[in-house]
Amino acid sequence: MWLAAAAPSLARRLLFLGPPPPPLLLLLLSRSSRRRRLHSLGLTAMPEKRPFERLPADVSPVNYSLCLKPDLLDFTFEGKLEAAAKVKQATNQIVMNCADIDIITASYVPEGDEEIHATGFNYQNEDEKVTLSFPSTLQPGTGTLKIDFVGELNDKMKGFYRSKYTTPSGEVRYAAVTQFEATDARRAFPCWDEPAIKATFDISLVVPKDRVALSNMNVLDRKPSPDDENVVEVKFARTPVMSTYLVAFVVGEYDFVETRSKDGVCVRVYTPVGKAEQGKFALEVAAKTLPFYKDYFNVPYPLPKIDLIAIADFAAGAMENWGLVTYRETALLIDPKNSCSSSRQWVALVVGHELAHQWFGNLVTMEWWTHLWLNEGFASWIEYLCVDHCFPEYDIWTQFVSADYTRAQELDALDNSHPIEVSVGHPSEVDEIFDAISYSKGASVIRMLHDYIGDKDFKKGMNMYLTKFQKKNAATEDLWESLESASGKPIAAVMNTWTKQMGFPLIYVEAEQVEDDRLLKLSQRKFCASGPYVGEDCPQWMVPITISTSEDPNHAKLKILMDKPEMNVVLKNVKPDQWVKLNLGTVGFYRTQYSSAMLESLLPGIRDLSLPPVDRLGLQNDLFSLARAGIISTVEVLKVMEAFVNEPNYTVWSDLSCNLGILSTLLSHTDFYEEIQEFVKDVFSPIGERLGWDPKPGEGHLDALLRGLVLGKLGKAGHKATLEEARRRFKDHVEGKQILSADLRSPVYLTVLKHGDGTTLDIMLKLHKQADMQEEKNRIERVLGATLSPELIQKVLTFALSEEVRPQDTVSVIGGVAGGSKHGRKAAWKFIKDNWEELYNRYQGGFLISRLIKLSVEGFAVDKMAGEVKAFFESHPAPSAERTIQQCCENILLNAAWLKRDAESIQQYLLQRKASPPTA
C-alpha cells in the first residue's frame, strides 16, 4: 500500500512552524531535563497494548466461494458465502472475523453428512469477531461453511464502501469499491482475516448490467440474472492461494486502455469515463515494470491479467490487491497537457511500488503485521530501482535520499520512535505502523543492505526467498536466511541491529596525517533529536561504512563493517591536501559528525561541485540535523548553505529548501522573521535568475522540477520580481490569454495567494470548482493555506470540510493552513478541536487521522502546547494515532528548546550579514 501524502518533501515543509514562546516561559532544556519534561507529560511510554488473541486454529478455510450483490442506491449489499473448510480438532464453535455485518443464517455441512445449523451468533464487536455456535460437535475433517449476510456500503473508505463520482453529464453517482488492508475484509464478508490464513477465492458479483465489475481474476462468465433483466451475474476465475487483505472488487462506470506486456500479461488501466487518454502513461509504466520485476526476481508474474484502476474516494495512495490494484486518481492519471513533471514521477513510483507487491507481499506474504515493514520497506526501495530502469533521466536515487532517507531519520531520532519491527496485536495497532519507519526507514536499510551485499548476490537471495516461500507466509528472519545463504555475509547479525532496536548511530570521525597515510578515528553513539546521547547503555549498530577521497569522489577507497563502539582505520596513500568523506552516496543509515578540520576540507567540494550531488545533499542534511539537535550551532549551517550558490542539482536544492523552510517557519514569530526571508531570497536568487520562467531548449524533467521549486521559494519569500511576474502570469491564465504550464501552476498559485487578498482566494476557489482533473483540484487545495488574513483562513478551513473537497483531501487543506502562518496554525488547531467528532468519524481511526494531527500540531514551539495537545487527546482518544500524538508533543518541546538555544545567535548573524553582505 502506498500512503498518500503530498510528496514527502511537502509533508516535511509543513512541519516545524512554531512561534517563539514568551520570554518568561523559555527554559534552556538540557537533554535530561527534556526527558523529565516528556516523562511528566506522559510522552515517553509506548502506547498501551490492548488485550488481543489471534483466531483459534481449530477450523481454517481452503476456499471461499463468495457472491455479493451491492445496491448502489440504498448503499447496502447482500452476500452469500460457501467456504470449504477444514476442521482440525473437534469443536462446537467457529470463530471468524466480522465487523459491521449482520449474519442472517449460518450452517456447516460436513463432507458426506447432514447440514448442522448454527444456533447462535455471538458478536465480539471490540475484537471484530463473531463466534458461530453449533448444537453438535463438528468432527475433524472437511466440510462447507455456509453464511448468508447483509452489510452496508459505508462512506469510511474502508471495507466494501461507496465512492462518489460525477458523470460527464454532471450527475452524481456512486461506485462500490474495496480497501481491505490491514483488517477490513471482515467488513465485506465474514472471514479468517489474518495474513497467514490463506485460501483460494471464487468470487461472483451481481451488478447492474450497465456497470463494469472487476475482481482479482479474469471474468469467466457474465450472464443475465434470472430474477431481473437489468442485472447480470459476473463470475471470476479462481484466485491462487492468497490472504484476505488482498481480495478486491469494484463495481462502477469506467473506460480503459489496454496492452500486453512482453511476457503476455494483459495490462489494463481503468479511468473515469471519458478520460481513457489519461491512463496511457501509467499503462506504459506498468507494461515496462512487470517484465523488469520478472527478470529481477527470476519468478514470473503469476496471474493472467493485471488491472490498475483510479478510485475517486480513496484513503491511501494505492493498494496492491493481487491483479486489481486500486489508486487515487492523482496516483494513476496523467493528462499530457495539464499534469506537471512531479505528478508523472509520482505515478511512476506508485505504479512501481504496487507492482513490486505482486511478488513481494502477494506471492510471499508476511506471517503477521509485525513484519509489515518487510512488505512496505522492500516495495518502497525497489520502486526506485524500477523507476531508475524506466526513467534514468529522473536521477531518482538522489531523490530517494531527500524523500525517504532523511524523512525516516527525522522521525527515528525521536525518543518516541519505534523499531522497524513492532509487535502488533489488536487491529487498532496496525494502522499506527503504516508510517515513515516501516516505509522509509525500511527502504533505507534495504538500500544499505543491497549495497553491502552487492546486486548479484542480492538478486540471487531474493529468488531463493520468493521460490521457497511462494504462496506461503514468511517472517523477516526468512529473508535474512536467504540473503545470508546467497552472499556468505552475516546478514541476520547485521540487520537485527537495524530492525529490532529503534534509532540509528551518529558516527564521529577525526583524522590524522601519518606520513603518506590518513588515520581515521571513528566512534558511534545513538543519534538523538534532543542532543548527545547520555544513557548508560548506548545501543550499538553493525554499520557498513564506505570511505571516499577527493582522488576519486565517486568510488569507495575502503569499505568496512563497524561492529564496535570505536575503530581506527588507516587509509593508505592519501595526500595531506585531499579530503576524506564517510558514507559515499549517503547509503549508510547514519549521520556523520566530522572534526572541524575534516569539515573545513570538505566545504570547497560543495562550491566547486567536486563532491557528488548526493554527498553534497547528505553533508548539508547531517549538519542541519546536528544543529537542530543542539550539537552544533545553526549559524554554522547557514554559512554552509551559502556555499550552495553554484548548485545545479534539483534534489540538493529540494532538501536545502525543506530545511530552510523548517528554520524560517520556526523563526516566523520572532521579530526578525523578515531577515530569514531575506536570507532565503539571497540564497535562491542566483539560481532563479539562471533558470528564468520559461523552459529552454534541451531542458528535461529535473529542470522543470527545479524551476517550480525555486520560483515557489522566491515567490513565497516575497522576492519582488518573482511576485510581479507571478501576478502577471496568473492574470493571463485566469483571463485565458496564456494558460500556465502545469509545472508553473503550484509556484504561481502559492505566490499570488500568499501576497493576495479575498479576490485572489475567490478566483482560486472558482478555478478549483471548474477543474476537471483531480490533480489540479489537489494542487489548488494544497496552497490555499498560504493566505494570511484571519477571515480568509477561516473561509479555507470551512471549505476543507465542504462537499467541494474529497474526504481524503480535507487533511491536506487543513495541513496547508497549519503550515501557512502563525495564525493559520492556531486556527487549524482550533478548527480540529471544534470539528473533532466529524473528522474522527470520517476517518474512523485510520492513518489519515494520524496525518491530520501531525500536520496540524507538530509545528508549535511553546512548551505548554505539548500539554494542551496531550490533554485534548486524553479526553478525545484516537487509539491508532497514540504514537503520532506522542511524537508531535516531543517535537513541540524540541522546537521550543531549539528556538531558545539559537534564536539570538541566528539574529546576530543575519543582522551582521545584512550590514556587510557576503560576496559570491
Side-chain angles (χ1 to χ4, degrees), residues 907-920:
Q907 182 180 19
Q908 290 306 314
Y909 174 71
L910 293 174
L911 290 173
Q912 178 190 332
R913 196 178 166 280
K914 205 171 174 181
S916 52
T919 52

Side-chain angles (χ1 to χ4, degrees), residues 54 181-182 195-196 245 320 357 360-362 364-379 418-425 429-430 433-434 437-439 442 446 465 473-480 496 499-500:
R54 283 166 70 165
E181 190 177 26
Y245 79 89
E320 68 267 19
H357 277 312
F360 208 95
N362 300 10
V364 178
T365 310
M366 72 233 147
E367 195 279 331
W368 184 246
W369 299 108
T370 298
H371 305 283
L372 170 81
W373 86 273
L374 204 55
N375 263 18
E376 298 303 347
F378 185 85
H418 63 83
I420 282 179
E421 280 191 61
V422 180
S423 176
V424 171
E429 295 167 16
V430 179
I433 57 168
F434 283 91
I437 300 297
S438 293
Y439 282 72
I446 298 256
Y465 171 78
N473 296 79
T476 303
E477 291 71 25
D478 297 315
L479 178 61
W480 298 162
N496 285 343
T499 64
K500 294 187 184 296

Side-chain angles (χ1 to χ4, degrees), residues 395 548 763 790 827 893:
D395 183 29
S548 59
I763 293 170
L893 297 177

Side-chain angles (χ1 to χ4, degrees), residues 121 136 141 192 215 279 282 396 439 457 464 530 557 559 571 715 738 809 868 880:
F121 317 137
S136 57
W192 289 264
S215 187
I396 204 73
Y439 282 72
D457 285 346
M464 288 165 64
S530 50
K557 186 172 180 74
K559 291 186 177 187
L571 288 181
Q738 180 71 51
D809 298 321
E868 183 181 315
S880 67

Side-chain angles (χ1 to χ4, degrees), residues 846-868:
F847 65 83
L848 281 175
I849 207 79
S850 294
R851 179 156 293 138
L852 177 67
I853 294 165
K854 183 179 175 68
L855 292 177
S856 303
V857 308
E858 200 170 43
F860 287 111
V862 185
D863 283 354
K864 69 175 183 181
M865 277 307 301
E868 183 181 315

Side-chain angles (χ1 to χ4, degrees), residues 713-733:
K713 202 72 179 170
L714 287 169
K716 192 176 177 186
H719 183 255
K720 192 163 177 281
T722 306
L723 177 54
E724 285 169 2
E725 183 64 8
R727 283 176 171 156
R728 185 186 71 74
R729 290 185 182 235
F730 182 67
K731 185 170 181 287
D732 286 353
H733 176 72

Side-chain angles (χ1 to χ4, degrees), residues 661-791:
I662 289 166
L663 187 59
S664 63
T665 46
L666 183 78
L667 302 174
S668 63
H669 300 289
T670 61
D671 51 10
F672 58 94
Y673 177 67
E674 284 311 311
E675 271 68 40
I676 194 70
Q677 296 315 297
E678 288 301 317
F679 181 87
V680 169
K681 286 186 270 189
D682 286 349
V683 169
F684 279 83
S685 294
I687 182 74
E689 282 168 28
R690 287 202 298 275
L691 286 166
W693 279 79
D694 299 304
K696 300 173 182 64
E699 282 189 354
H701 174 78
L702 293 164
D703 300 292
L705 293 180
L706 180 56
R707 180 173 287 108
L709 173 80
V710 171
L711 292 175
K713 202 72 179 170
L714 287 169
K716 192 176 177 186
H719 183 255
K720 192 163 177 281
T722 306
L723 177 54
E724 285 169 2
E725 183 64 8
R727 283 176 171 156
R728 185 186 71 74
R729 290 185 182 235
F730 182 67
K731 185 170 181 287
D732 286 353
H733 176 72
V734 172
E735 291 171 359
K737 289 183 190 167
Q738 180 71 51
I739 299 300
L740 280 165
S741 73
D743 285 315
L744 288 179
R745 287 183 202 171
S746 281
V748 168
Y749 293 168
L750 176 72
T751 301
V752 298
L753 266 172
K754 176 86 190 273
H755 306 282
D757 55 17
T759 308
T760 318
L761 180 60
D762 288 342
I763 293 170
M764 205 63 85
L765 292 175
K766 188 179 171 192
L767 287 177
H768 181 277
K769 197 172 184 66
Q770 291 169 348
D772 181 44
M773 262 198 95
Q774 195 57 31
E775 179 186 325
E776 176 73 355
K777 285 186 186 290
N778 285 172
R779 195 169 11 241
I780 293 167
E781 287 161 3
R782 286 195 187 118
V783 297
L784 291 175
T787 192
L788 290 175
S789 105
E791 305 81 57

